[in-house]
Amino acid sequence: MADVIDNGCETETKFTEMALASHRAKSRQPQQQSAAECEECGDIIPIARQLAVPGCQCCVLCQQLKE
C-alpha cells in the first residue's frame, strides 16, 4: 500500500514532467523579435541585450524587477 510520501513523490514527478513538457514546447516556438524599447519603462534596449536575449521585451533593470 502506498503511503503519503510515495503519493507526494508521484505528484511531484507529474508536475516536473508537465513543466518540462511546457518548457520544451515553448523552446520549439519561433522566437519573436526583440523590442527596441522596454515595454515597462520605455527606455531603449541596447543592441547587445537584444542579441544576447532574443525576444526580450524589457531592459535589464525592469527584467530584474519582474523576476
Side-chain angles (χ1 to χ4, degrees), residues 4 17 20 24 28 33-34 36 38 40-42 47 49 52 54 58 60 65 67:
V4 175
E17 289 172 353
L20 285 171
R24 287 183 187 124
R28 283 187 230 121
Q33 186 174 358
S34 295
C38 177
E40 296 292 323
C41 69
I47 298 295
R49 174 162 171 74
C58 297
V60 173
L65 293 172
E67 293 175 2

Side-chain angles (χ1 to χ4, degrees), residues 13 15 24 31 35 41 43-44 47 51 58 60:
T13 300
F15 277 111
R24 287 183 187 124
Q31 290 287 338
C41 69
D43 286 351
I44 294 174
I47 298 295
L51 295 174
C58 297
V60 173

